[in-house]
């Protein structure tokens, strides 16, 4: 070691001793080389990846502690400030004091003062000041809203432009406060203001505000990475706009309501889609479940307005909305793997398909053909394993439509002879047995029920076809059908199929003993009993054989 190196080492040792002495005197601690893994992770958090924007929650933690409960006092203060702004408007109108311009200026100054309190008082923590800022935004929206509706100072377009300016200012305040609660308070106060004011307004004038608010809060929710905000604003926007226009009856007003509701729906749905794609953060199952009520609410209200405006177009447009949701889901799958919102999308589609498609659009004479089509679709789907990917609500919708049409078809077959009933029944029976022979393993647990329903449908179809030829013809048709099923099950060594013929044999036997035996014509009575007895005797012999090879 050289003399120069020795000098440097001595200086370092002396410097370390001095630092040690100072820290002991002041009672300070400095990090040593031996730091536990948990401490190092806590003091030096891992860097945020370049392709991922930091969540607002991460820098919001500097203002509010997660363990600290929300302070109700400033929230109540916001409510008081908002109500004060509303009553300023109402009092100005009722009392007539001051001129409209001065009345409106007082309201605007009140909102600016509240915002100023939140921005200028620096000795109060920023998160607490955001309450005053939120109250100021609400009052400023009231000022822009009432400038045309109440005070008649500006035309509607200028009032809407003021609302857009307030929205931009709200974005600035959000970036300043960096807290989600600020935006949530703004959204709630902003949306309920028109309800509390309680004055009817022109739909076009009102529409501009709701569309501006929808775009604003959807955009903030994307930046904030908060599904709570976009969910809340969608409930408020769609719900309150419906409440304010539920009594609309004029065709022009109905058209505007439908247009605005549709645009709000597109904005909110597009916001959720863009949020998921941009942040690579798809909806969880719980979040998707929270969106289902608002989708169903939108469908119910938009169909209500559409039905009042044009009943013919209502189901078609409603199907278009469900197709739009499916399109967004299909597009999202291109960017994100393992989406968990499939149940949400298919549940909404199932409701719309059942109501608008099945109940409203499909004609009565065409509904009977759903049974063979469903069986054919089930067979094709099983070959590709697509049916397993369907969500339970969509499966339930298909099964519900099938059950309804099955009972409708059975009821109609008991009536008069009609090819519109018999032909779909025969097609269902043929495709049903085709499906059973090709894919019975897919319904292994329910094949007895499936065969029983097919036999009931076939019994009624044979009854209708043979009815005009007499009671003996009906008994013969049923007996031959039961023998055919029994033989088919025996040949294929399918005990379930063979035993299912007992259903038809029981019906045939009951008819022979109860109905045919009471016939006045001795010839029909004797022939029917002999035929039934022969069939039962032969069936008993075959069941003995089946019992042996089944064991």
């Amino acid at each position: 070691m050289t003399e120069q190196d020795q000098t440097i080492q001595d200086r370092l040792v002396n410097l370390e001793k001095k630092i040690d002495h100072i820290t002991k005197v002041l009672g300070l601690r400095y990090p040593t080389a031996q730091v536990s893994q948990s401490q190092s992770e806590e003091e030096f958090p891992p860097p945020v990846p370049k392709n991922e924007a930091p969540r607002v929650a991460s820098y919001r933690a500097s203002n509010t502690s997660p363990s600290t409960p929300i302070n109700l006092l400033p929230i109540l203060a916001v409510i008081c400030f908002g109500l004060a702004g509303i009553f300023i408007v109402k009092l100005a109108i009722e009392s007539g004091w001051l001129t409209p311009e001065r009345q409106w200026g007082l309201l605007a100054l009140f909102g600016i003062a509240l915002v100023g309190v939140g921005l200028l008082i620096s000795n109060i923590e920023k998160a607490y000041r955001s309450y005053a800022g939120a109250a100021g935004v609400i009052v400023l929206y009231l000022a822009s809203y009432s400038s045309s509706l109440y005070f008649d100072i500006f035309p509607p377009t200028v009032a809407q432009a003021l609302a857009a300016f307030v929205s931009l200012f709200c974005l600035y305040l959000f970036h300043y406060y960096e807290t989600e609660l600020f935006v949530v308070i703004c959204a709630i106060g902003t949306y309920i203001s028109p309800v509390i004011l309680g004055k009817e307004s022109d739909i076009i004038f009102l529409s501009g505000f709701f569309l501006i608010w929808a775009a604003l809060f959807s955009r903030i929710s994307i930046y904030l990475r908060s599904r709570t905000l976009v969910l809340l604003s969608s409930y408020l926007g769609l719900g309150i706009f419906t409440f304010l226009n539920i009594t609309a009856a004029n065709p022009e007003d109905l058209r505007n309501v439908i247009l605005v509701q549709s645009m709000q729906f597109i904005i909110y749905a597009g916001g959720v889609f863009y949020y998921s794609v941009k942040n690579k953060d798809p909806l969880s199952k719980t979040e998707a479940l929270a969106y289902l009520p608002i989708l169903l609410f939108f469908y119910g209200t938009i169909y209500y307005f559409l039905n009042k405006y044009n009943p013919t177009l209502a189901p078609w447009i409603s199907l278009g909305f469900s197709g739009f949701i499916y399109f967004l889901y299909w597009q999202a799958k291109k960017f994100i793997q393992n989406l968990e919102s499939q149940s949400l999308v298919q549940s909404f589609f199932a409701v719309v398909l059942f109501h608008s498609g099945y109940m409203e659009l499909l004609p009565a004479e065409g509904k009977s053909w759903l049974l063979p089509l469903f069986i054919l679709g089930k067979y094709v789907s099983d070959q590709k394993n697509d049916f397993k990917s369907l969500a339970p609500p969509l499966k339930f919708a298909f099964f519900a439509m099938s059950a309804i049409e099955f009972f409708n078809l059975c009821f109609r077959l008991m009536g008069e002879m009609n090819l519109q009933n018999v032909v779909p029944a025969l097609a269902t029976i043929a495709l049903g047995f085709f499906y059973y022979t090709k894919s019975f393993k897919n319904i292994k647990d329910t094949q007895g029920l499936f065969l029983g329903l097919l036999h009931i449908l076939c019994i009624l179809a044979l009854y209708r076809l043979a009815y005009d030829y007499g009671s003996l013809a009906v008994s013969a048709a049923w007996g031959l059908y039961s023998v055919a099923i029994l033989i088919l099950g025996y040949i294929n060594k399918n005990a379930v199929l063979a035993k299912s013929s007992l259903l038809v044999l029981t019906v045939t036997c009951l008819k022979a003993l109860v109905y045919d035996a009471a016939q006045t014509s001795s010839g029909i009575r004797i022939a029917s009993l002999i035929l039934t007895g022969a069939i039962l005797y032969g069936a008993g012999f075959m069941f003995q054989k089946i019992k042996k090879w089944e064991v």
Side-chain angles (χ1 to χ4, degrees):
M1 181 180 296
T2 62
E3 184 178 352
Q4 186 177 2
D5 292 337
Q6 184 64 41
T7 303
I8 294 174
Q9 185 174 358
D10 293 337
R11 289 180 179 178
L12 288 174
V13 171
N14 292 332
L15 182 61
E16 186 177 357
K17 290 180 179 179
K18 290 180 180 180
I19 292 174
D20 221 347
H21 176 71
I22 293 172
T23 54
K24 288 179 180 178
V25 172
L26 297 178
L28 300 176
R29 296 174 57 190
Y30 61 95
T32 61
Q34 296 178 349
V35 182
S36 65
Q37 183 178 357
S38 61
Q39 288 176 332
S40 63
E41 290 178 355
E42 184 176 353
E43 295 177 11
F44 306 101
V48 179
K50 293 182 179 180
N51 58 349
E52 181 179 346
R55 287 185 179 271
V56 174
S58 62
Y59 57 74
R60 192 168 62 241
S62 61
N63 293 331
T64 58
S65 173
S67 61
T68 304
I70 296 176
N71 195 340
L72 293 179
L73 295 180
I75 293 179
L76 293 175
V78 171
I79 296 174
C80 292
F81 290 144
L83 290 175
I86 292 171
F87 290 134
I88 286 175
V89 177
K90 288 195 169 185
L91 183 62
I93 298 301
E94 293 172 359
S95 63
W97 49 273
L98 300 179
T99 62
E101 290 79 7
R102 291 176 180 177
Q103 295 166 2
W104 180 81
L106 179 64
L107 180 65
L109 285 175
F110 180 51
I112 293 172
L114 289 172
V115 173
V117 168
L119 290 175
L120 301 178
I121 302 179
S122 57
N123 58 342
I124 301 177
E125 62 179 6
K126 190 183 293 185
Y128 193 85
R129 285 185 282 138
S130 67
Y131 292 97
V137 170
I138 295 171
V139 174
L140 288 175
Y141 269 127
L142 280 172
S144 60
Y145 185 77
S146 60
S147 65
S148 175
L149 182 62
Y150 281 91
F151 299 106
D152 199 22
I153 299 175
F154 304 120
T157 53
V158 175
Q160 292 169 349
L162 287 174
F165 176 77
V166 174
S167 297
L168 293 175
F169 186 57
C170 183
L171 280 174
Y172 164 76
L173 292 177
F174 162 71
H175 283 284
Y176 175 77
Y177 291 119
E178 299 176 344
T179 173
E180 183 180 13
L181 187 60
F182 164 76
V183 189
V184 170
I185 295 173
C186 287
I188 296 174
T190 298
Y191 275 112
I192 65 174
S193 296
V195 179
I196 299 177
L197 286 174
K199 182 176 181 180
E200 293 186 4
S201 60
D202 180 70
I203 292 179
I204 297 179
F205 171 75
L206 190 65
S207 303
F209 285 89
F210 274 81
L211 293 178
I212 289 171
W213 295 336
L216 169 69
F217 295 119
S218 294
R219 180 64 188 90
I220 293 179
S221 69
I222 294 171
Y223 178 84
L224 189 65
R225 301 187 73 174
S226 168
R227 296 197 186 277
T228 303
L229 178 59
V230 70
L231 181 63
L232 174 66
S233 59
S234 63
Y235 273 94
L236 291 171
L238 294 172
I240 291 178
F241 192 80
T242 299
F243 172 78
L244 294 175
N245 298 284
I246 195 66
T247 58
N250 184 283
E252 184 177 354
D253 290 342
L254 286 171
R255 183 171 61 250
N256 291 329
V257 170
I258 293 168
L259 180 62
V260 174
Q261 285 290 81
S262 302
M263 292 179 68
Q264 283 195 96
F265 175 75
I266 292 172
I267 290 173
Y268 290 129
V272 173
F273 166 78
Y274 186 69
Y275 174 99
S276 299
V277 172
K278 178 180 175 59
N279 298 318
K280 302 295 183 184
D281 184 18
L283 287 170
S284 66
K285 290 183 179 179
T286 304
E287 290 170 337
L289 185 63
Y291 278 95
L292 183 58
I294 190 61
L295 283 177
L296 298 179
F297 173 80
F298 168 75
Y299 172 71
T301 54
I302 199 68
Y303 195 92
Y304 167 78
F305 290 120
L306 282 168
N307 195 51
K308 290 177 66 175
Y309 178 69
N310 191 330
T312 304
L313 291 177
W316 291 106
I317 297 177
S318 300
L319 285 171
F321 285 122
S322 66
F324 173 71
I325 293 295
Y326 231 116
F327 172 76
L328 292 181
Y329 173 77
W330 175 64
Q331 288 294 315
K333 288 185 68 174
K334 296 181 179 180
F335 301 96
I336 304 173
Q337 301 296 328
N338 301 323
L339 290 179
E340 297 184 16
S341 55
Q342 180 183 16
S343 296
L344 167 69
V345 175
Q346 293 192 4
S347 298
F348 180 62
F349 183 74
V351 172
V352 178
L353 182 65
F354 184 85
H355 178 254
S356 293
Y358 171 68
M359 296 183 65
E360 299 295 334
L361 287 178
L362 196 61
E365 58 273 11
K367 291 180 179 179
S368 301
W369 287 98
L370 287 177
L371 279 175
L373 288 177
F374 283 155
I375 294 175
L376 183 61
K378 180 70 166 60
Y379 172 75
V380 174
S381 179
D382 286 343
Q383 303 305 308
K384 299 180 179 181
N385 293 324
D386 290 338
F387 189 74
K388 295 180 180 179
S389 64
L390 295 181
L394 197 55
K395 291 181 181 179
F396 178 79
F398 287 142
F399 285 135
M401 287 185 276
S402 301
I404 292 172
E405 285 313 306
F406 175 81
F407 289 112
N408 282 340
L409 189 56
C410 290
F411 180 78
R412 291 196 297 269
L413 285 172
M414 289 186 289
E416 61 180 358
M417 176 65 179
N418 191 329
L419 289 178
Q420 291 181 351
N421 300 328
V422 174
V423 175
L426 295 177
T428 302
I429 295 167
L431 284 173
F433 278 108
F434 170 79
Y435 175 79
Y436 180 77
T437 55
K438 298 293 184 180
S439 304
F440 73 92
K441 292 182 180 179
N442 294 319
I443 53 170
K444 186 177 181 180
D445 297 332
T446 58
Q447 57 178 319
L449 176 63
F450 182 80
L451 287 172
L453 294 176
L454 277 181
H455 292 334
I456 291 173
L457 193 60
C458 193
I459 287 172
L460 293 174
L462 291 173
Y463 165 77
R464 179 48 51 203
L465 288 172
Y467 179 80
D468 294 337
Y469 299 97
S471 179
L472 180 60
V474 174
S475 298
W478 287 355
L480 292 175
Y481 173 69
S482 62
V483 170
I485 296 300
L486 183 57
I487 293 174
L488 184 62
Y490 182 81
I491 294 174
N492 291 284
K493 293 189 178 296
N494 188 328
V496 176
L497 179 60
K499 289 180 179 179
S500 70
S501 65
L502 284 173
L503 173 65
V504 188
L505 288 170
T506 302
V507 174
T508 306
C509 181
L510 289 174
K511 180 180 180 298
L513 296 176
V514 177
Y515 182 79
D516 291 341
Q519 291 289 315
T520 56
S521 174
S522 300
I524 294 178
R525 182 187 309 170
I526 295 171
S528 178
L529 291 173
I530 292 175
L531 177 63
T532 304
I535 292 174
L536 292 175
Y537 186 81
F541 174 75
M542 294 193 70
F543 273 114
Q544 280 189 333
K545 296 286 188 181
I546 291 173
K547 188 176 181 180
K548 291 181 180 180
W549 57 253
E550 188 180 10
V551 174

